[in-house]
Amino acid sequence: MATTSISMRRLFGSTAMTVLFVSLRGNSFASAFCAPASRENMFRLRSGALFSSTTSSDTTFWRSNQDCWRPDVRDVERISFGQPAKKKGTGSRGIPHRLNEDERRSFDQARRQGFLQVTGSAWRSQRRDAPLLNTYRSLSDARGKPAIVLHKLSPTSSGEHEDKLVVDLSPLRFPDEFDAVGKEVKALIQAEYNLESCVDDVEEGGDVEDDEGLDIEEASDEDQYETRPIYQLPPFQLEWNVSRQEGKIIGKYLAGIFETIEKSASKSKKQRGLKPGKGRRSGGYGIG
């Protein structure tokens, strides 16, 4: 007996129904059965269609400042290996950027996927900082794209994963437009996934340090985004509490909006003759 299965999906309010028809010989059909889908399955069913519609829709509500100081992508790659950058100001000895082997894999994967996935805060005690986050933010700044990061947190007491998805708009370097862009992004996520941002105001970073070797004149807040390196600028973060599956799907959705996927990105390779630097508790060129 020849059978043919056709899947039809409909959304009724917050409940997804999957209808399966089985055809017999001739034109007769067996009865259909319906099964409610879980919240995770809803995100899987909707992600493909939403992602394709986003990439083909008008996403001109954001822009990046191209007439300002930015690092070069190749220089960001160099300091991630502990090498000095050619462009002054790309790295700082007070801000670690050198990646270890595990961080290198996550960094390369983030370039291909369009968003970074880290465990917890990505803090490395040996460096008293998070080199992976610093390097990815510098890469985002070099490309003029927001930095999208999924923080994978420990399971709750009930065994569920409550992760945090963060979008940093500071690499766009248009501070006057951060609020408008942020509202638009939050509205998109609310409409498509029924999730509200857990941060209403700008998420201010800690005090930023001036690099002793970088000659930067005092400037207004707006002018700082024209002349200062990204590690001397506070982040402007949007945050959502998500499950693991939701975080990955929404991360992919946002990567399509902000065009952060590097399709031609290849695996980073350690350059020949590159030796570990001297161990430093902090600094851009210490051992990874």
Side-chain angles (χ1 to χ4, degrees), residues 2 7 17 25 33 43 54 56 58 68 83 104 138 145 158 173 207 222 226 247 255 273 280 285:
S7 297
M17 308 295 289
R25 286 184 176 180
F33 68 91
F43 271 79
T54 299
S56 61
D58 183 11
C68 63
Q83 291 184 313
R104 176 74 53 189
S138 292
K145 312 286 186 181
S158 60
R173 290 182 178 263
D207 295 335
E222 294 182 2
E226 300 279 344
R280 295 188 179 95
Y285 306 102

Side-chain angles (χ1 to χ4, degrees), residues 77 108 137 147 166 191 200 205 231 253 279:
E77 293 174 348
D108 291 340
R137 190 177 184 222
V166 179
D200 293 330
Y231 53 82
Y253 174 79

